[in-house]
Amino acid sequence: GRERTEVARSLIMHMTSQRSKKKFPQLQATWELLGYDAPSTVEVEFVNGKQKRFLCEHYSRNEMQDIIDVWQFEAHMEYMKEHSLEKDDDDE
């Protein structure tokens, strides 16, 4: 196999663990490990339907989590802007 595939396996185990499912009940994680010589990628689809992807083989699990945390924060901020209690009814 390719180098650093253990990081991808570790991420899969983390995302599908009971602890993660309990902490993030809306999280739906799917994965596929393929046995060919291609770069490892992570694809993320948020609840709002937006999708993001990155090559992960050069990152540690913590570095990948940092990337996804930024995406998650941006999605949260977008949601808060769209669903603000201070938003005027005329803005819709």
Side-chain angles (χ1 to χ4, degrees):
R2 295 179 64 92
E3 291 181 24
R4 304 205 53 153
T5 56
E6 190 57 37
V7 173
R9 286 189 188 105
S10 174
L11 179 64
I12 291 166
M13 297 302 292
H14 174 70
M15 297 302 290
T16 57
S17 71
Q18 288 300 320
R19 182 177 176 207
S20 291
K21 289 178 183 178
K22 186 175 180 180
K23 187 174 180 181
F24 306 104
Q26 290 185 317
L27 175 68
Q28 295 179 2
T30 59
W31 54 274
E32 182 176 4
L33 286 178
L34 303 174
Y36 61 87
D37 197 27
S40 301
T41 58
V42 170
E43 296 179 17
V44 178
E45 181 176 354
F46 294 95
V47 175
N48 64 4
K50 289 193 176 181
Q51 298 179 346
K52 300 230 180 192
R53 174 192 300 189
F54 67 98
L55 295 175
C56 65
E57 64 183 29
H58 300 292
Y59 299 104
S60 70
R61 189 174 114 192
N62 289 337
E63 290 169 328
M64 287 189 279
Q65 185 64 53
D66 289 344
I67 292 168
I68 293 169
D69 284 345
V70 169
W71 294 347
Q72 183 179 11
F73 178 76
E74 290 169 351
H76 176 72
M77 292 303 292
E78 182 178 316
Y79 176 86
M80 294 304 290
K81 286 179 185 175
E82 293 173 2
H83 298 87
S84 172
L85 294 175
E86 298 174 357
K87 185 175 178 181
D88 293 334
D89 289 335
D90 297 339
D91 291 347
E92 295 179 32

